[in-house]
Amino acid sequence: MRFVSMAWRELFSLNTRRYAIPSTALVSSRGSFAKFSSKSNEYLVKVGIPEFLKGVGKGVETHVEKLESEIGDFNKLLVTRTLRLKRLGVPVKHRKLILKYTHKYRLGLWRPAAEPAKTK
């Protein structure tokens, strides 16, 4: 029994040493703590089906006309299920992307980024 407890203690100490984060990883080359920041992206004010699918990208924007004519409203697209998209003829990869990003949009984790203003 004593051997088992010693084995567990040794195993635990090996794991803690392996996953320990060195304190130098948190300090930048200038000697201060590393700062993490993120830029705030510009978001579209009004999001419709075309803007949403263009934001998803990866070829999904080819289904804009079909989804606008059959579904019509962006809020209806947000609650559309996979069977309806399948009946509309949307391929599997595109269905998965649409459903993934509509879920993220509903949770507030993703929004299509606005296109930069074009300059002449």
Side-chain angles (χ1 to χ4, degrees), residues 5 8 10-12 16 23 28 30 33 49-50 56 61 69 80 90 112 117-118:
S5 65
W8 276 107
E10 184 178 337
L11 183 64
F12 182 71
T16 56
S23 60
S28 69
R30 295 181 184 163
F33 285 101
I49 293 176
V56 171
E61 60 272 3
S69 65
T80 301
V90 179
K118 294 180 181 178

Side-chain angles (χ1 to χ4, degrees), residues 8-119:
W8 276 107
R9 193 175 310 135
E10 184 178 337
L11 183 64
F12 182 71
S13 67
L14 288 175
N15 282 339
T16 56
R17 277 186 258 141
R18 185 184 320 157
Y19 296 115
I21 299 172
S23 60
T24 57
L26 299 175
V27 179
S28 69
S29 61
R30 295 181 184 163
S32 62
F33 285 101
K35 295 181 182 177
F36 300 99
S37 65
S38 62
K39 288 184 176 180
S40 63
N41 292 331
E42 299 283 328
Y43 294 115
L44 293 170
V45 176
K46 180 186 174 290
V47 177
I49 293 176
E51 295 85 8
F52 182 81
L53 296 179
K54 189 179 284 186
V56 171
K58 300 177 185 175
V60 177
E61 60 272 3
T62 57
H63 306 290
V64 170
E65 297 165 1
K66 188 184 320 179
L67 294 178
E68 274 193 320
S69 65
E70 295 295 324
I71 294 175
D73 187 25
F74 177 64
N75 290 326
K76 289 181 183 176
L77 177 67
L78 291 177
V79 294
T80 301
R81 299 199 178 201
T82 187
L83 188 58
R84 181 149 187 215
L85 293 174
K86 183 177 183 178
R87 288 181 182 154
L88 292 175
V90 179
V92 176
K93 288 184 179 182
H94 293 172
R95 284 198 305 260
K96 284 183 175 184
L97 285 169
I98 292 170
L99 294 172
K100 174 183 170 182
Y101 282 96
T102 53
H103 182 68
K104 286 184 176 187
Y105 185 88
R106 283 191 309 250
L107 294 176
L109 298 175
W110 179 85
R111 288 184 60 94
E115 293 181 16
K118 294 180 181 178
T119 58

